[in-house]
Amino acid sequence: MPRKFIKKFMPNHDVIKRQKALKVFGNVLYNPNLWCLNRRSAAGAFAVGLFMAFVPLPSQMIMSAGLAIALGVNLPLSVALVWITNPITMPFIFYIAYKLGAWLMNIPPQHFHFELTWDFLIHQMGTIAPPFLLGCAVCSVIASVIGYFGIRGLWRYSVVRSWQKRRTKVT
């Protein structure tokens, strides 16, 4: 069942409550619905986490936590899924998002060498930002929809399969 598999990787909610970055949410973290793991909360957490993973801002985890709290979905799962875009995978994923945005805008992708300097941000991001942000938005929506319906379908399949196993044991 997906619940058993997902629970293996979920952190303890007491550890998350002690995180300094999440103190901005105050006592809202004590809501038991944020720690519940069922089909609705897991699917919603996948949608939130995958959506926020493609947001090119350094505060993805905090935004994911805020959105999970607002929607009442599983908080640890939504925050953990943001790490799909980690420092190792981020350049590749964001490059694909840029190429997708350039293709959608029907403009040729520009060749550039990324540098983490103010000069690069001021001069290059003016031309790179529109296709990059469009690609990130499209990837966010597509990933969250696939994650939401994929987890709901997987969860349903698992429940149906376990019921079928029980039925065959009884007969």
Side-chain angles (χ1 to χ4, degrees):
M1 193 159 169
R3 176 182 291 174
K4 292 176 188 174
F5 180 75
I6 293 172
K7 276 206 178 234
K8 285 184 203 177
F9 300 103
M10 283 184 45
N12 186 346
H13 69 275
D14 292 326
V15 173
I16 291 178
K17 288 179 188 176
R18 288 193 298 258
Q19 294 295 319
K20 291 179 183 178
L22 296 177
K23 294 291 184 190
V24 295
F25 298 114
N27 291 334
V28 176
L29 293 178
Y30 296 107
N31 181 356
N33 291 332
L34 298 176
W35 310 101
C36 176
L37 189 60
N38 56 36
R39 181 173 58 192
R40 183 187 111 20
S41 70
F46 264 77
V48 167
L50 292 174
F51 183 86
M52 295 310 294
F54 289 95
V55 174
L57 294 174
S59 57
Q60 292 171 318
M61 289 176 59
I62 294 172
M63 292 185 299
S64 179
L67 197 53
I69 290 168
L71 297 175
V73 299
N74 189 280
L75 179 66
L77 197 53
S78 64
V79 171
L81 282 165
V82 168
W83 281 94
I84 288 174
T85 52
N86 57 56
I88 296 169
T89 62
M90 194 177 293
F92 174 73
I93 290 174
F94 284 162
Y95 179 71
I96 297 297
Y98 168 71
K99 296 277 277 190
L100 175 65
W103 178 74
L104 289 172
M105 293 178 74
N106 202 20
I107 59 173
Q110 295 182 359
H111 297 286
F112 60 91
H113 176 70
F114 180 77
E115 295 176 15
L116 194 56
T117 63
W118 285 110
D119 186 49
F120 174 81
L121 291 175
I122 291 170
H123 296 294
Q124 291 287 342
M125 288 308 272
T127 58
I128 294 171
F132 172 63
L133 295 176
L134 176 64
C136 286
V138 170
C139 288
S140 290
V141 171
I142 290 172
S144 64
V145 168
I146 289 172
Y148 180 81
F149 288 112
I151 290 299
R152 285 194 66 99
L154 181 65
W155 202 288
R156 172 121 173 97
Y157 171 75
S158 174
V159 169
V160 168
R161 196 178 79 212
S162 69
W163 275 101
Q164 288 173 345
K165 284 182 181 179
R166 283 186 203 162
R167 189 178 303 148
T168 58
K169 282 183 181 179
V170 172
T171 58

